[in-house]
Amino acid sequence: MAPRRTKSSKNPPIFSHEFFIQNHADIVSCIAMVFIIGLMFQATSPVASLFITMQNNLTVNDSANVEHIVYSTGSKDLFTVFFYFLICIVIHAVLQEYVLDKLNRKMHLSKTKHSKFNESGQLLIFFLVSAIWGADILFRENFVSSVNHLWEGYPHTQLPFIVKFFFITQLAYWVHNYPELYFQKIRKEEMFGRLQYTTIYLIFIAAAYFLNFNRVALCVLVLHYTVEALYHLALLCHFSEKQEAAKSIFMVFDVLFVLVRLGTITLAVLTFWYGLAQSNNSVIDVAAGNYNTYLVRINCLAAIGLSQAGLMWNFITFHLRKLREKSPVSKKIRSPSKKRAGPKTVPAEELDSLPEVDQNSAKENGNVRARKVKK
């Protein structure tokens, strides 16, 4: 259920922006409930199942002649992404109402810190859950027993249910971030940064999913999400004024951040430059889901390399700026010598323009300063 909103002294008019923002979780949960109720009736069940259940499924037999249901990618996945996009909005509102807002009220944060705290809190929960979930999939499906599994058997069009569901929820979460900018009343100064990283995540995950590079994408996401979870945990400790804990977590993050960048580049080179090159195709076969051509691989490798280089560049410039701020020379420049402020003398031309009461007080101050000078 959506969280209950506290009634304000003056209810906003229906269909206004404020009304929709205050009640967006209830409205979205009602829309999602329509699809769930549709499963109960025979006439609407095929349409409702198109949104709720995983699509593009088929039955295959393994080596022991045991039937398994596997899934592939397709355009019908957009309907499923839409339904779980609604679920993400409801879960976001529940976490905001019952967890983050209560913590904010206790800490009395400023508006800027309040927004940053909410952002880091939501992302911490998502990154932590996704990293644990992704790591469980890697070990359960035996993808990490050998690095060759990242490219052997490509195209990986037959996905287990848990792998397909993982990528559907990933796409739904990053899509739901766009309307949350409106629901959370994000300021214009913060909007560009959030739009930037949301769009980058969405493009990379969607490309890996629909191009059937899901195994290497799963490994990279687990590594990246683990480090990002540490980063946002450190930020939450910083906002909570637990500076010692924040400092320790930031130190661990700095080390792991560099290692994950190197690990991501290594996985990308092994997969796109070495592994997939062994079964290279001259043309793209959309029907078979085979996108293993030289042009696609080079573009994927370049995109990953540029993204990791951009992250490292921001990381290095941030720490260089911190070092400059801590250096003794910059402290001297930024803290000028304090001069003792003397009494301000009012010029004669300005004295005439002052009211009579202010003129008398200014003259008295001038007489006092004159007597001090004579002494």
mmCIF file of all heavy atoms in Angstrom, residues 30-67:
data_model
loop_
_atom_site.group_PDB
_atom_site.id
_atom_site.type_symbol
_atom_site.label_atom_id
_atom_site.label_comp_id
_atom_site.label_asym_id
_atom_site.label_seq_id
_atom_site.Cartn_x
_atom_site.Cartn_y
_atom_site.Cartn_z
ATOM 1 N N CYS A 30 -2.926 2.792 -7.388
ATOM 2 C CA CYS A 30 -4.248 2.436 -7.932
ATOM 3 C C CYS A 30 -4.128 1.967 -9.383
ATOM 4 O O CYS A 30 -4.808 1.012 -9.794
ATOM 5 C CB CYS A 30 -5.192 3.629 -7.842
ATOM 6 S SG CYS A 30 -5.696 4.037 -6.153
ATOM 7 N N ILE A 31 -3.259 2.628 -10.162
ATOM 8 C CA ILE A 31 -3.050 2.198 -11.552
ATOM 9 C C ILE A 31 -2.445 0.795 -11.590
ATOM 10 O O ILE A 31 -2.868 -0.061 -12.392
ATOM 11 C CB ILE A 31 -2.139 3.202 -12.288
ATOM 12 C CG1 ILE A 31 -2.817 4.577 -12.360
ATOM 13 C CG2 ILE A 31 -1.808 2.708 -13.686
ATOM 14 C CD1 ILE A 31 -1.912 5.665 -12.930
ATOM 15 N N ALA A 32 -1.468 0.529 -10.723
ATOM 16 C CA ALA A 32 -0.862 -0.806 -10.675
ATOM 17 C C ALA A 32 -1.874 -1.851 -10.226
ATOM 18 O O ALA A 32 -1.857 -2.994 -10.711
ATOM 19 C CB ALA A 32 0.344 -0.790 -9.734
ATOM 20 N N MET A 33 -2.776 -1.460 -9.316
ATOM 21 C CA MET A 33 -3.785 -2.403 -8.839
ATOM 22 C C MET A 33 -4.747 -2.804 -9.948
ATOM 23 O O MET A 33 -5.272 -3.924 -9.958
ATOM 24 C CB MET A 33 -4.566 -1.784 -7.676
ATOM 25 C CG MET A 33 -5.417 -2.767 -6.909
ATOM 26 S SD MET A 33 -4.446 -4.063 -6.118
ATOM 27 C CE MET A 33 -3.527 -3.096 -4.919
ATOM 28 N N VAL A 34 -4.989 -1.917 -10.904
ATOM 29 C CA VAL A 34 -5.869 -2.241 -12.038
ATOM 30 C C VAL A 34 -5.302 -3.424 -12.820
ATOM 31 O O VAL A 34 -6.039 -4.345 -13.210
ATOM 32 C CB VAL A 34 -6.039 -1.004 -12.947
ATOM 33 C CG1 VAL A 34 -6.742 -1.387 -14.243
ATOM 34 C CG2 VAL A 34 -6.823 0.083 -12.228
ATOM 35 N N PHE A 35 -3.981 -3.429 -13.042
ATOM 36 C CA PHE A 35 -3.361 -4.540 -13.770
ATOM 37 C C PHE A 35 -3.439 -5.840 -12.965
ATOM 38 O O PHE A 35 -3.668 -6.912 -13.536
ATOM 39 C CB PHE A 35 -1.907 -4.221 -14.092
ATOM 40 C CG PHE A 35 -1.732 -3.087 -15.053
ATOM 41 C CD1 PHE A 35 -1.304 -1.845 -14.621
ATOM 42 C CD2 PHE A 35 -2.001 -3.256 -16.401
ATOM 43 C CE1 PHE A 35 -1.133 -0.795 -15.502
ATOM 44 C CE2 PHE A 35 -1.836 -2.211 -17.297
ATOM 45 C CZ PHE A 35 -1.413 -0.972 -16.839
ATOM 46 N N ILE A 36 -3.263 -5.745 -11.650
ATOM 47 C CA ILE A 36 -3.318 -6.951 -10.812
ATOM 48 C C ILE A 36 -4.722 -7.529 -10.786
ATOM 49 O O ILE A 36 -4.918 -8.759 -10.892
ATOM 50 C CB ILE A 36 -2.818 -6.625 -9.399
ATOM 51 C CG1 ILE A 36 -1.349 -6.194 -9.445
ATOM 52 C CG2 ILE A 36 -2.986 -7.825 -8.473
ATOM 53 C CD1 ILE A 36 -0.805 -5.713 -8.129
ATOM 54 N N ILE A 37 -5.739 -6.673 -10.656
ATOM 55 C CA ILE A 37 -7.125 -7.138 -10.669
ATOM 56 C C ILE A 37 -7.477 -7.722 -12.026
ATOM 57 O O ILE A 37 -8.270 -8.665 -12.133
ATOM 58 C CB ILE A 37 -8.072 -5.978 -10.296
ATOM 59 C CG1 ILE A 37 -7.821 -5.545 -8.846
ATOM 60 C CG2 ILE A 37 -9.530 -6.366 -10.488
ATOM 61 C CD1 ILE A 37 -8.606 -4.324 -8.418
ATOM 62 N N GLY A 38 -6.857 -7.181 -13.092
ATOM 63 C CA GLY A 38 -7.127 -7.714 -14.427
ATOM 64 C C GLY A 38 -6.749 -9.163 -14.593
ATOM 65 O O GLY A 38 -7.302 -9.867 -15.460
ATOM 66 N N LEU A 39 -5.822 -9.682 -13.771
ATOM 67 C CA LEU A 39 -5.446 -11.097 -13.845
ATOM 68 C C LEU A 39 -6.563 -12.021 -13.381
ATOM 69 O O LEU A 39 -6.566 -13.216 -13.706
ATOM 70 C CB LEU A 39 -4.199 -11.355 -12.997
ATOM 71 C CG LEU A 39 -2.866 -10.784 -13.500
ATOM 72 C CD1 LEU A 39 -1.776 -11.005 -12.465
ATOM 73 C CD2 LEU A 39 -2.470 -11.419 -14.821
ATOM 74 N N MET A 40 -7.513 -11.490 -12.613
ATOM 75 C CA MET A 40 -8.574 -12.328 -12.034
ATOM 76 C C MET A 40 -9.689 -12.644 -13.020
ATOM 77 O O MET A 40 -10.509 -13.525 -12.757
ATOM 78 C CB MET A 40 -9.161 -11.630 -10.801
ATOM 79 C CG MET A 40 -8.152 -11.319 -9.729
ATOM 80 S SD MET A 40 -8.900 -10.450 -8.339
ATOM 81 C CE MET A 40 -7.462 -10.138 -7.322
ATOM 82 N N PHE A 41 -9.765 -11.931 -14.112
ATOM 83 C CA PHE A 41 -10.866 -12.114 -15.062
ATOM 84 C C PHE A 41 -10.319 -12.661 -16.372
ATOM 85 O O PHE A 41 -9.262 -12.239 -16.855
ATOM 86 C CB PHE A 41 -11.594 -10.786 -15.291
ATOM 87 C CG PHE A 41 -12.144 -10.170 -14.032
ATOM 88 C CD1 PHE A 41 -11.418 -9.189 -13.353
ATOM 89 C CD2 PHE A 41 -13.357 -10.588 -13.513
ATOM 90 C CE1 PHE A 41 -11.916 -8.626 -12.206
ATOM 91 C CE2 PHE A 41 -13.859 -10.028 -12.351
ATOM 92 C CZ PHE A 41 -13.145 -9.049 -11.691
ATOM 93 N N GLN A 42 -11.056 -13.592 -16.937
ATOM 94 C CA GLN A 42 -10.601 -14.271 -18.138
ATOM 95 C C GLN A 42 -10.493 -13.329 -19.331
ATOM 96 O O GLN A 42 -9.591 -13.451 -20.157
ATOM 97 C CB GLN A 42 -11.551 -15.420 -18.474
ATOM 98 C CG GLN A 42 -11.077 -16.300 -19.617
ATOM 99 C CD GLN A 42 -11.985 -17.492 -19.837
ATOM 100 O OE1 GLN A 42 -12.992 -17.643 -19.131
ATOM 101 N NE2 GLN A 42 -11.642 -18.345 -20.783
ATOM 102 N N ALA A 43 -11.358 -12.343 -19.399
ATOM 103 C CA ALA A 43 -11.353 -11.435 -20.539
ATOM 104 C C ALA A 43 -10.147 -10.511 -20.532
ATOM 105 O O ALA A 43 -9.587 -10.182 -21.580
ATOM 106 C CB ALA A 43 -12.648 -10.610 -20.550
ATOM 107 N N THR A 44 -9.734 -10.079 -19.351
ATOM 108 C CA THR A 44 -8.627 -9.126 -19.245
ATOM 109 C C THR A 44 -7.302 -9.767 -18.856
ATOM 110 O O THR A 44 -6.279 -9.093 -18.826
ATOM 111 C CB THR A 44 -8.969 -8.051 -18.206
ATOM 112 O OG1 THR A 44 -9.237 -8.688 -16.941
ATOM 113 C CG2 THR A 44 -10.183 -7.246 -18.635
ATOM 114 N N SER A 45 -7.309 -11.054 -18.554
ATOM 115 C CA SER A 45 -6.088 -11.715 -18.094
ATOM 116 C C SER A 45 -4.959 -11.680 -19.118
ATOM 117 O O SER A 45 -3.799 -11.431 -18.748
ATOM 118 C CB SER A 45 -6.399 -13.162 -17.709
ATOM 119 O OG SER A 45 -5.237 -13.826 -17.282
ATOM 120 N N PRO A 46 -5.208 -11.897 -20.418
ATOM 121 C CA PRO A 46 -4.090 -11.830 -21.388
ATOM 122 C C PRO A 46 -3.427 -10.461 -21.451
ATOM 123 O O PRO A 46 -2.197 -10.366 -21.566
ATOM 124 C CB PRO A 46 -4.766 -12.177 -22.726
ATOM 125 C CG PRO A 46 -5.971 -12.953 -22.355
ATOM 126 C CD PRO A 46 -6.450 -12.364 -21.068
ATOM 127 N N VAL A 47 -4.234 -9.402 -21.343
ATOM 128 C CA VAL A 47 -3.657 -8.055 -21.385
ATOM 129 C C VAL A 47 -2.897 -7.757 -20.104
ATOM 130 O O VAL A 47 -1.793 -7.193 -20.128
ATOM 131 C CB VAL A 47 -4.766 -7.007 -21.619
ATOM 132 C CG1 VAL A 47 -4.175 -5.602 -21.623
ATOM 133 C CG2 VAL A 47 -5.486 -7.279 -22.929
ATOM 134 N N ALA A 48 -3.469 -8.133 -18.951
ATOM 135 C CA ALA A 48 -2.815 -7.866 -17.670
ATOM 136 C C ALA A 48 -1.519 -8.646 -17.535
ATOM 137 O O ALA A 48 -0.517 -8.133 -17.021
ATOM 138 C CB ALA A 48 -3.761 -8.204 -16.520
ATOM 139 N N SER A 49 -1.518 -9.891 -17.991
ATOM 140 C CA SER A 49 -0.295 -10.704 -17.898
ATOM 141 C C SER A 49 0.807 -10.158 -18.791
ATOM 142 O O SER A 49 1.993 -10.374 -18.523
ATOM 143 C CB SER A 49 -0.603 -12.154 -18.283
ATOM 144 O OG SER A 49 -1.064 -12.232 -19.623
ATOM 145 N N LEU A 50 0.437 -9.423 -19.841
ATOM 146 C CA LEU A 50 1.438 -8.800 -20.703
ATOM 147 C C LEU A 50 2.279 -7.790 -19.932
ATOM 148 O O LEU A 50 3.466 -7.597 -20.222
ATOM 149 C CB LEU A 50 0.733 -8.116 -21.888
ATOM 150 C CG LEU A 50 1.611 -7.462 -22.958
ATOM 151 C CD1 LEU A 50 2.440 -8.514 -23.680
ATOM 152 C CD2 LEU A 50 0.764 -6.685 -23.942
ATOM 153 N N PHE A 51 1.687 -7.155 -18.919
ATOM 154 C CA PHE A 51 2.392 -6.163 -18.123
ATOM 155 C C PHE A 51 3.083 -6.772 -16.897
ATOM 156 O O PHE A 51 4.149 -6.292 -16.495
ATOM 157 C CB PHE A 51 1.410 -5.086 -17.647
ATOM 158 C CG PHE A 51 0.942 -4.162 -18.737
ATOM 159 C CD1 PHE A 51 -0.146 -4.479 -19.513
ATOM 160 C CD2 PHE A 51 1.613 -2.972 -18.977
ATOM 161 C CE1 PHE A 51 -0.583 -3.628 -20.524
ATOM 162 C CE2 PHE A 51 1.193 -2.118 -19.981
ATOM 163 C CZ PHE A 51 0.091 -2.452 -20.763
ATOM 164 N N ILE A 52 2.495 -7.803 -16.309
ATOM 165 C CA ILE A 52 2.983 -8.289 -15.007
ATOM 166 C C ILE A 52 3.993 -9.421 -15.154
ATOM 167 O O ILE A 52 5.036 -9.430 -14.488
ATOM 168 C CB ILE A 52 1.784 -8.734 -14.136
ATOM 169 C CG1 ILE A 52 0.868 -7.530 -13.881
ATOM 170 C CG2 ILE A 52 2.267 -9.325 -12.821
ATOM 171 C CD1 ILE A 52 -0.398 -7.872 -13.136
ATOM 172 N N THR A 53 3.706 -10.402 -16.007
ATOM 173 C CA THR A 53 4.590 -11.564 -16.121
ATOM 174 C C THR A 53 5.693 -11.315 -17.144
ATOM 175 O O THR A 53 5.565 -10.456 -18.023
ATOM 176 C CB THR A 53 3.781 -12.806 -16.533
ATOM 177 O OG1 THR A 53 3.166 -12.562 -17.818
ATOM 178 C CG2 THR A 53 2.697 -13.102 -15.522
ATOM 179 N N MET A 54 6.773 -12.094 -17.030
ATOM 180 C CA MET A 54 7.880 -11.978 -17.972
ATOM 181 C C MET A 54 7.463 -12.541 -19.335
ATOM 182 O O MET A 54 6.889 -13.633 -19.411
ATOM 183 C CB MET A 54 9.104 -12.748 -17.462
ATOM 184 C CG MET A 54 9.665 -12.241 -16.144
ATOM 185 S SD MET A 54 10.316 -10.565 -16.208
ATOM 186 C CE MET A 54 9.095 -9.710 -15.208
ATOM 187 N N GLN A 55 7.768 -11.799 -20.401
ATOM 188 C CA GLN A 55 7.341 -12.170 -21.745
ATOM 189 C C GLN A 55 8.472 -12.877 -22.506
ATOM 190 O O GLN A 55 9.589 -12.990 -22.031
ATOM 191 C CB GLN A 55 6.902 -10.918 -22.500
ATOM 192 C CG GLN A 55 5.742 -10.191 -21.837
ATOM 193 C CD GLN A 55 4.503 -11.050 -21.715
ATOM 194 O OE1 GLN A 55 4.070 -11.681 -22.683
ATOM 195 N NE2 GLN A 55 3.928 -11.106 -20.530
ATOM 196 N N ASN A 56 8.125 -13.316 -23.730
ATOM 197 C CA ASN A 56 9.072 -13.982 -24.640
ATOM 198 C C ASN A 56 9.678 -15.241 -24.014
ATOM 199 O O ASN A 56 10.887 -15.437 -24.007
ATOM 200 C CB ASN A 56 10.201 -13.018 -25.043
ATOM 201 C CG ASN A 56 9.672 -11.729 -25.643
ATOM 202 O OD1 ASN A 56 8.949 -11.746 -26.634
ATOM 203 N ND2 ASN A 56 10.017 -10.609 -25.026
ATOM 204 N N ASN A 57 8.809 -16.101 -23.470
ATOM 205 C CA ASN A 57 9.283 -17.328 -22.850
ATOM 206 C C ASN A 57 9.119 -18.508 -23.798
ATOM 207 O O ASN A 57 8.264 -18.521 -24.680
ATOM 208 C CB ASN A 57 8.531 -17.600 -21.548
ATOM 209 C CG ASN A 57 7.038 -17.743 -21.772
ATOM 210 O OD1 ASN A 57 6.455 -16.984 -22.537
ATOM 211 N ND2 ASN A 57 6.414 -18.722 -21.126
ATOM 212 N N LEU A 58 9.965 -19.516 -23.629
ATOM 213 C CA LEU A 58 9.887 -20.750 -24.394
ATOM 214 C C LEU A 58 10.413 -21.891 -23.539
ATOM 215 O O LEU A 58 11.160 -21.675 -22.573
ATOM 216 C CB LEU A 58 10.687 -20.650 -25.695
ATOM 217 C CG LEU A 58 12.199 -20.440 -25.611
ATOM 218 C CD1 LEU A 58 12.858 -21.033 -26.841
ATOM 219 C CD2 LEU A 58 12.542 -18.964 -25.524
ATOM 220 N N THR A 59 10.024 -23.119 -23.912
ATOM 221 C CA THR A 59 10.409 -24.307 -23.159
ATOM 222 C C THR A 59 11.494 -25.059 -23.921
ATOM 223 O O THR A 59 11.362 -25.314 -25.126
ATOM 224 C CB THR A 59 9.192 -25.230 -22.947
ATOM 225 O OG1 THR A 59 8.153 -24.494 -22.295
ATOM 226 C CG2 THR A 59 9.568 -26.419 -22.083
ATOM 227 N N VAL A 60 12.576 -25.391 -23.213
ATOM 228 C CA VAL A 60 13.691 -26.134 -23.814
ATOM 229 C C VAL A 60 14.010 -27.340 -22.941
ATOM 230 O O VAL A 60 13.672 -27.379 -21.747
ATOM 231 C CB VAL A 60 14.945 -25.237 -23.950
ATOM 232 C CG1 VAL A 60 14.689 -24.088 -24.905
ATOM 233 C CG2 VAL A 60 15.399 -24.713 -22.593
ATOM 234 N N ASN A 61 14.662 -28.311 -23.536
ATOM 235 C CA ASN A 61 15.108 -29.507 -22.812
ATOM 236 C C ASN A 61 16.617 -29.463 -22.637
ATOM 237 O O ASN A 61 17.351 -29.120 -23.567
ATOM 238 C CB ASN A 61 14.718 -30.774 -23.584
ATOM 239 C CG ASN A 61 13.209 -30.948 -23.693
ATOM 240 O OD1 ASN A 61 12.477 -30.533 -22.797
ATOM 241 N ND2 ASN A 61 12.753 -31.551 -24.785
ATOM 242 N N ASP A 62 17.068 -29.798 -21.432
ATOM 243 C CA ASP A 62 18.500 -29.824 -21.181
ATOM 244 C C ASP A 62 19.085 -31.181 -21.573
ATOM 245 O O ASP A 62 18.415 -32.010 -22.193
ATOM 246 C CB ASP A 62 18.788 -29.497 -19.707
ATOM 247 C CG ASP A 62 18.123 -30.480 -18.758
ATOM 248 O OD1 ASP A 62 17.569 -31.490 -19.237
ATOM 249 O OD2 ASP A 62 18.139 -30.219 -17.535
ATOM 250 N N SER A 63 20.347 -31.397 -21.206
ATOM 251 C CA SER A 63 21.024 -32.641 -21.575
ATOM 252 C C SER A 63 20.381 -33.869 -20.951
ATOM 253 O O SER A 63 20.447 -34.964 -21.505
ATOM 254 C CB SER A 63 22.502 -32.574 -21.161
ATOM 255 O OG SER A 63 22.616 -32.319 -19.767
ATOM 256 N N ALA A 64 19.727 -33.688 -19.799
ATOM 257 C CA ALA A 64 19.045 -34.809 -19.131
ATOM 258 C C ALA A 64 17.593 -34.934 -19.563
ATOM 259 O O ALA A 64 16.806 -35.642 -18.916
ATOM 260 C CB ALA A 64 19.128 -34.646 -17.614
ATOM 261 N N ASN A 65 17.208 -34.222 -20.637
ATOM 262 C CA ASN A 65 15.850 -34.239 -21.182
ATOM 263 C C ASN A 65 14.816 -33.721 -20.173
ATOM 264 O O ASN A 65 13.681 -34.197 -20.122
ATOM 265 C CB ASN A 65 15.463 -35.655 -21.642
ATOM 266 C CG ASN A 65 14.353 -35.602 -22.686
ATOM 267 O OD1 ASN A 65 14.174 -34.594 -23.383
ATOM 268 N ND2 ASN A 65 13.598 -36.690 -22.793
ATOM 269 N N VAL A 66 15.247 -32.748 -19.377
ATOM 270 C CA VAL A 66 14.346 -32.106 -18.414
ATOM 271 C C VAL A 66 13.938 -30.754 -18.973
ATOM 272 O O VAL A 66 14.786 -29.987 -19.434
ATOM 273 C CB VAL A 66 15.026 -31.934 -17.040
ATOM 274 C CG1 VAL A 66 14.097 -31.223 -16.061
ATOM 275 C CG2 VAL A 66 15.439 -33.296 -16.490
ATOM 276 N N GLU A 67 12.642 -30.482 -18.933
ATOM 277 C CA GLU A 67 12.140 -29.236 -19.500
ATOM 278 C C GLU A 67 12.421 -28.044 -18.583
ATOM 279 O O GLU A 67 12.274 -28.140 -17.361
ATOM 280 C CB GLU A 67 10.635 -29.333 -19.755
ATOM 281 C CG GLU A 67 10.262 -30.306 -20.870
ATOM 282 C CD GLU A 67 8.776 -30.268 -21.190
ATOM 283 O OE1 GLU A 67 8.029 -29.640 -20.396
ATOM 284 O OE2 GLU A 67 8.371 -30.847 -22.205
#
